[in-house]
Amino acid sequence: QEKYSFAEIESKWQKKWVEEKAYKAEDHSGKPKFYALAMFPYPSGNLHMGHVRNYSIVDVIARFKRMQGFNVLHPIGWDSFGLPAENAAIKHQTPPAEWTWKNIANMKRQLQEMGISYDWDREVATCHPDYYKFTQWMFLEFYKQGLVYKKKAAVNWCPSCATVLANEQVVDGACERCDTPVTKKDLEQWFFKITDYAQVLLDDLDKLPGWPEKVKTMQRNWIGRSEGTEVDFTVENRTDKIRVYTTRVDTIFGVSYVVLAPEHPLVKELVAGTEYEKEVNAFIDKMKGLNEIARTSNETEKEGLFTGAYCINPYSGKKVPIWIANYVLFEYGTGAVMGVPAHDERDFEFATKYQLPIRTVIIPEGMSLEAKDEPVKEANHDDGVMVNSGEYDGLTNRDALGKMRDKAERDGFGEHKVNFRLRDWLISRQRYWGAPIPMVYCEHCGIVPVPQDQLPVMLPDDVVFKAGENPLATSERFKETTCPTCGGKAQRETDTMDTFMCSSWYYLRYTDPRNNTLPFSKEAVDQWMNVDQYVGGVEHAILHLLYSRFVTKALRDFGYLKVDEPFENLLTQGMVCLDGSKMSKSKGNVVSPEEIIGKYGADTARLFILFAAPPERDLEWSDQGVEGCYRFLNRVWRLVGQFAESAQQLTGNHDQVFAELDSAAKEMRRQTHLTIQKVTADIGIRFNFNTAVSSIMELVNALYLYKEQATAKSEVEREALESILILLAPFAPHITEELWTGLGHKESIHQQPWPQVDEAALVQDEVTVVLQVNGKLRDRIQVSAEISAQELEQHIRNLPKLQEWTQGKTIVKVITVPGKLVNVVVK
Ligand code: ANZ
Ligand code: ZN
């Protein structure tokens, strides 16, 4: 018998699949569609194990769905703009394009060596002019619709990368890429008005039951909806009013000071010409250099200064001092807060430090009124009863809050207000390797968008990379242009777009990747969207997913597509770890996919990574585990070889043989169909690839035992063997394809229909059991007489039809009366 020579087998099939376009998605097909998508990679140069895991998971789903009769779209591409290419360019003196395309070629070869079932005709790269032309088109479309604007803004600035960073690229106050502390700088920048969509982005998270709860929570927190009240405090001896934003207007009798953000325009006016001016100005300058996170983190000490001015509390009529402080941000709310030390931690810390009064205005319900004048040891934000609050005393604070807000609205000094933490999306980058922003500045016409039919605005290649300089500005040929409106002298915008912009719409491009006039046709996008299953790392839980949701919703509103949400189901895969920590170059604990594939083959690598842990959990690398998977595939290989040699005597009459089986054969068939049932549910319903693989392994063991028996029937063996191959095909596509053809089949195993469970084969000695859902009769099923309550319940839970009957509901309880009845209680 031949040896399992994986290298030969794998390259043979890979070549064939690519040549025959075996996994092409049909644009017009009678079959239902299924769109399976992995987050596309950044072409850093080599695949790592995280990639292998990501793409193997999606490949199992894609192959499984294909065998289930779906028309599957499973594309891949390259998120190929971004800083590393530019850094490499500076370091090695190679143009970013050259570095990037070389990496893409290498990683593409590696992907093909993994045998992932991509439709290669739909490959895209965001750095290709045919792609970024439409990234620019998006910019212009959003601009036309009033969702893009330019403004001078204090932005996060990395002095080392010499570029603007988005908030999310600032990690603990430092640049995500180079760890340099981030400063603030005033620059003219382009923004996308994502805040217009804040409420709907929040609300529609409820339309996504197929997303992990933790991801939705992260998005909710990022959007940060806050409901409160704006209240005016009139400045003493002036007409100016300071408008504060508070979520707790009920605490307003406890205000002992008002704080303005240092950047608040009123600050300079208040101190002009006073003894406070110099110190206050110095403080403002100091704050300018610091980013929000450094200013407001809990670890940062509260710091502030008195301005010398006072204002009046509109409820109590009392006079309170006006301060400025680091912990109040200009960009949030109104840039001014009322300080209530007794009920807010930050204010408590501040008041304690600067010896400002601390006055309780809410005490716990049932507590003696004496408590209202006791010294405060810590801020208390619990609900309770109002004290020290004039006419509101004795009310619950929730009642008081409503009444106080009504009063502000009635008397015209305030109003109910909803705020969001979410800021507009700053997309300008002072970098080279990105999509140029398609705008020109004309001396006569001002800001002029490049007409869409003149796209792409091509990246020039005659630029100079110098630290601290915007590369596009160094190309005269790029910069100097003529105005599309008047034909006069004009200059191009020299900033490029945030790469999150490129990745916010790539899943739409896959539906119509070679369209030359539009990013996609309506027909194509409506046919394929939305993505049925999206899989990627949890590090993209906030930004990429939020931007993509925003872009989809905006394009829907512009009339380009129909769906509300781009990603129906989301799976966030766990990390690949070695010795307990994430594999990473910096930790030096990396196992290279190429090495593993070279030693054992892609099928073993895939099988191990799918078998070692459920997709959402972290996976611990294990050399023994890999060895084990390799031995298992060899076992399968030998099993088929031995069968092919011995099984010549297949009778023509299959049904008759199956009708007259002895008990060992019946048991073999039962095991085969139980495994089909389990693997189908494990892949299709729960993504429990690991348990699916282990039950296939058990079936292999059972078949080894069965075939040793003198009475073993070839028909039964064959059924078991072919089931093993088909069930294993999504995990180990090459070896199964090879063995399948070895059994005499002409068609690819990957085109076989997914096997059906033969209910009759599952039964030992049968009885009929009534199946109810919430007491309603749904079916009568045949089960073994000996089946235990537990087995019966498991059997019911695995029934494919149960899905239909319990649609969208959760199973609360399964009541079983063995031999008689099962009632599934759902809610
Ligand atoms: C008085 C108060 C009393 C507050 C109290 C809270 C508790 P969220 O939920 O995040 O919206 N605040 C408002 N604007 C601010 C700014 N620009 N910089 C820093 N802090 C600001 O929280 C709103 C609360 O955060 C507001 O309610 C305000 O403090 C503070 F017992 O006002 B509060
Ligand atoms: Zn002009």
Side-chain angles (χ1 to χ4, degrees):
Q1 189 191 343
E2 267 179 72
K3 209 173 138 271
Y4 167 39
S5 7
F6 56 83
E8 214 175 289
I9 294 168
E10 291 183 355
S11 66
K12 176 176 88 185
W13 289 112
Q14 285 158 10
K15 202 161 152 253
K16 200 157 184 295
W17 294 335
V18 170
E19 276 169 14
E20 290 177 357
K21 300 186 191 293
Y23 305 111
K24 193 166 174 52
E26 303 283 343
D27 266 325
H28 299 280
S29 143
K31 299 176 185 172
K33 70 97 186 179
F34 191 91
Y35 188 172
L37 186 65
M39 291 180 184
F40 67 163
Y42 178 77
S44 55
N46 279 293
L47 289 191
H48 55 66
M49 280 299 171
H51 292 129
V52 173
R53 187 172 195 196
N54 193 179
Y55 309 142
S56 299
I57 290 168
V58 185
D59 199 38
V60 169
I61 298 170
R63 288 181 182 276
F64 173 70
K65 287 290 172 186
R66 233 178 256 123
M67 293 169 92
Q68 281 198 323
F70 287 87
N71 177 26
V72 172
L73 172 56
H74 183 201
I76 189 75
W78 308 96
D79 188 10
S80 50
F81 271 140
L83 207 51
E86 211 161 322
N87 290 341
I90 296 167
K91 206 163 145 198
H92 307 298
Q93 298 297 313
T94 44
E98 196 181 308
W99 183 88
T100 305
W101 288 110
K102 208 179 80 203
N103 288 348
I104 288 177
N106 191 48
M107 287 171 77
K108 179 170 180 177
R109 176 187 53 81
Q110 292 175 328
L111 278 181
Q112 289 182 340
E113 284 171 4
M114 280 180 58
I116 311 281
S117 61
Y118 294 127
D119 178 349
W120 284 103
D121 287 350
R122 292 177 190 253
E123 185 182 3
V124 303
T126 59
C127 68
H128 195 292
D130 288 349
Y131 185 94
Y132 71 70
K133 161 176 169 179
F134 293 111
T135 306
Q136 293 171 337
W137 182 98
M138 293 282 164
F139 180 98
L140 294 171
E141 200 60 26
F142 277 63
Y143 181 78
K144 271 200 271 182
Q145 303 281 350
L147 287 177
V148 175
Y149 65 94
K150 192 177 191 193
K151 78 166 184 207
K152 193 159 200 159
V155 294
N156 301 309
W157 178 259
C158 172
S160 159
C161 299
T163 192
V164 168
L165 301 173
N167 284 342
E168 43 284 8
Q169 290 164 320
V170 181
V171 178
D172 295 330
C175 172
E176 169 187 72
R177 296 165 182 139
C178 70
D179 237 17
T180 308
V182 171
T183 61
K184 283 276 174 180
K185 196 171 172 174
D186 272 332
L187 279 179
E188 286 273 342
Q189 306 281 312
W190 290 100
F191 289 85
F192 272 53
K193 252 194 208 169
I194 191 172
T195 53
D196 274 13
Y197 282 73
Q199 187 67 53
V200 65
L201 285 168
L202 182 68
D203 292 342
D204 284 3
L205 288 170
D206 296 337
K207 292 186 187 166
L208 297 171
W211 279 38
E213 216 38 66
K214 67 168 184 221
V215 172
K216 288 189 278 187
T217 303
M218 284 158 89
Q219 294 228 341
R220 283 190 191 103
N221 292 341
W222 189 262
I223 295 167
R225 186 179 192 275
S226 158
E227 230 179 306
T229 313
E230 285 186 359
V231 179
D232 291 330
F233 284 66
T234 306
V235 181
E236 195 187 37
N237 303 325
R238 293 175 71 106
T239 53
D240 297 295
K241 292 185 165 106
I242 295 175
R243 177 156 275 224
V244 303
Y245 172 66
T246 178
T247 48
R248 294 293 305 275
V249 69
D250 53 323
T251 64
I252 202 161
F253 281 82
V255 171
S256 44
Y257 58 99
V258 158
V259 198
L260 297 175
E263 302 88 338
H264 197 292
L266 195 59
V267 175
K268 295 217 175 193
E269 292 181 33
L270 292 181
V271 296
T274 73
E275 59 187 293
Y276 299 93
E277 185 167 19
K278 224 173 118 196
E279 239 188 312
V280 164
N281 282 341
F283 188 82
I284 295 172
D285 285 342
K286 185 171 141 196
M287 288 302 135
K288 261 196 194 140
L290 299 174
N291 66 73
E292 279 115 78
I293 297 143
R295 259 170 64 173
T296 57
S297 119
N298 285 337
E299 277 94 76
T300 309
E301 193 178 329
K302 309 270 168 293
E303 256 191 281
L305 279 179
F306 178 43
T307 61
Y310 291 86
C311 60
I312 308 298
N313 181 331
Y315 289 86
S316 67
K318 287 222 173 90
K319 174 172 136 174
V320 290
I322 304 171
W323 285 65
I324 57 173
N326 58 347
Y327 73 98
V328 175
L329 297 174
F330 183 53
E331 293 85 7
Y332 186 66
T334 57
V337 310
M338 58 187 218
V340 188
H343 300 285
D344 180 278
E345 274 105 11
R346 295 162 298 184
D347 298 343
F348 183 80
E349 211 186 306
F350 193 76
T352 308
K353 178 169 172 184
Y354 293 106
Q355 296 174 338
L356 291 155
I358 303 180
R359 196 154 83 124
T360 299
V361 290
I362 295 165
I363 58 169
E365 202 142 356
M367 188 180 266
S368 140
L369 272 184
E370 254 114 80
K372 75 188 169 76
D373 298 316
E374 277 168 17
V376 177
K377 288 198 217 64
E378 59 179 352
N380 170 19
H381 25 102
D382 294 343
D383 287 341
V385 180
M386 303 289 290
V387 293
N388 293 327
S389 298
E391 58 184 292
Y392 301 95
D393 278 0
L395 294 175
T396 68
N397 71 301
R398 289 288 137 193
D399 274 352
L401 194 150
K403 293 202 156 71
M404 293 165 105
R405 190 174 62 206
D406 290 348
K407 179 179 167 64
E409 292 188 340
R410 217 171 34 241
D411 296 357
F413 62 81
E415 63 195 343
H416 174 240
K417 175 84 197 201
V418 173
N419 273 316
F420 292 92
R421 288 255 149 227
L422 183 69
R423 306 284 78 164
D424 276 339
W425 177 14
L426 195 175
I427 60 110
S428 302
R429 295 290 180 276
Q430 292 68 48
R431 309 303 322 179
Y432 168 76
W433 196 232
I437 293 173
M439 288 290 188
V440 303
Y441 300 98
C442 167
E443 285 157 22
H444 296 283
C445 316
I447 299 179
V448 184
V450 174
Q452 275 163 324
D453 61 9
Q454 290 175 24
L455 298 179
V457 174
M458 292 282 284
L459 272 175
D461 42 26
D462 58 343
V463 297
V464 184
F465 295 104
K466 274 187 282 190
E469 229 181 285
N470 185 349
L472 287 186
T474 67
S475 165
E476 289 299 315
R477 225 183 37 176
F478 177 82
K479 207 168 130 185
E480 300 305 330
T481 185
T482 50
C483 170
T485 307
C486 72
K489 239 169 102 74
Q491 291 189 331
R492 283 193 194 283
E493 167 67 62
T494 54
D495 285 354
T496 52
M497 283 183 242
D498 179 8
T499 56
F500 272 117
M501 188 59 212
C502 314
S503 57
S504 68
W505 73 278
Y506 78 107
Y507 49 91
L508 302 171
R509 183 66 176 167
Y510 285 140
T511 68
D512 196 5
R514 302 295 174 254
N515 193 325
N516 252 326
T517 48
L518 283 171
F520 48 81
S521 72
K522 200 159 165 26
E523 194 205 351
V525 85
D526 287 344
Q527 177 185 172
W528 287 111
M529 283 298 284
N530 51 17
V531 174
D532 294 279
Q533 184 65 56
Y534 199 26
V535 182
V538 74
E539 67 275 15
H540 292 300
I542 299 179
L543 293 180
H544 163 59
L545 293 174
L546 196 64
Y547 293 149
S548 299
R549 295 180 60 222
F550 163 56
V551 166
T552 296
K553 286 178 190 303
L555 291 172
R556 174 203 60 191
D557 292 346
F558 308 161
Y560 287 106
L561 48 80
K562 282 204 293 235
V563 293
D564 295 332
E565 286 288 336
F567 313 122
E568 185 73 30
N569 295 290
L570 173 71
L571 188 154
T572 49
Q573 97 245 11
M575 299 184 296
V576 181
C577 301
L578 183 59
D579 301 326
S581 54
K582 181 180 178 175
M583 277 191 186
S584 77
K585 266 199 196 143
S586 59
K587 287 206 201 77
N589 61 345
V590 186
V591 178
S592 104
E594 212 150 7
E595 184 191 321
I596 295 299
I597 291 173
K599 197 160 161 201
Y600 300 101
D603 282 339
T604 294
R606 296 168 53 124
L607 191 67
F608 166 72
I609 227 157
L610 294 162
F611 174 54
E616 298 200 274
R617 298 270 187 78
D618 288 351
L619 176 160
E620 181 66 27
W621 186 265
S622 143
D623 290 337
Q624 293 94 309
V626 179
E627 273 287 342
C629 286
Y630 181 62
R631 277 199 309 272
F632 168 69
L633 290 182
N634 273 285
R635 251 169 95 68
V636 174
W637 180 265
R638 286 194 303 272
L639 191 59
V640 177
Q642 290 164 13
F643 177 81
E645 279 161 25
S646 67
Q648 314 304 343
Q649 65 284 49
L650 287 181
T651 62
N653 199 338
H654 195 267
D655 290 346
Q656 195 186 338
V657 175
F658 275 20
E660 293 161 8
L661 296 177
D662 60 13
S663 67
K666 272 192 189 159
E667 190 48 35
M668 185 66 243
R669 288 206 70 219
R670 200 170 88 86
Q671 179 105 26
T672 299
H673 285 273
L674 280 175
T675 308
I676 293 173
Q677 188 179 52
K678 174 148 177 53
V679 173
T680 308
D682 277 353
I683 301 181
I685 302 172
R686 299 183 278 257
F687 296 138
N688 282 343
F689 303 145
N690 53 329
T691 53
V693 172
S694 60
S695 52
I696 301 172
M697 289 173 169
E698 282 166 27
L699 184 59
V700 168
N701 291 341
L703 181 54
Y704 261 105
L705 291 177
Y706 177 71
K707 81 185 178 62
E708 292 313 316
Q709 304 197 3
T711 57
K713 283 259 174 291
S714 290
E715 284 81 358
V716 174
E717 278 183 51
R718 187 170 187 110
E719 183 189 40
L721 198 57
E722 296 199 337
S723 301
I724 287 168
L725 293 181
I726 291 184
L727 298 179
L728 199 55
F731 300 89
H734 311 86
I735 186 174
T736 50
E737 182 88 305
E738 178 75 14
L739 292 173
W740 184 255
T741 44
L743 285 173
H745 295 286
K746 298 271 176 314
E747 259 189 7
S748 164
I749 191 169
H750 304 293
Q751 286 168 13
Q752 295 307 305
W754 191 253
Q756 296 290 317
V757 177
D758 178 355
E759 297 283 336
L762 295 182
V763 197
Q764 289 167 303
D765 263 323
E766 309 175 353
V767 285
T768 305
V769 167
V770 168
L771 171 59
Q772 303 177 333
V773 175
N774 282 353
K776 192 164 161 212
L777 175 69
R778 286 301 188 176
D779 207 356
R780 285 174 218 279
I781 50 169
Q782 298 288 108
V783 294
S784 147
E786 287 101 34
I787 197 166
S788 71
Q790 222 180 3
E791 285 172 327
L792 181 57
E793 173 171 346
Q794 198 49 50
H795 175 76
I796 298 298
R797 283 183 183 270
N798 283 341
L799 279 183
K801 270 199 177 161
L802 191 66
Q803 289 290 304
E804 288 171 32
W805 296 322
T806 60
Q807 238 180 32
K809 308 226 170 84
T810 32
I811 299 177
V812 221
K813 203 159 50 173
V814 179
I815 302 161
T816 51
V817 185
K820 291 218 171 68
L821 163 148
V822 184
N823 184 15
V824 181
V825 185
V826 297
K827 219 164 68 187

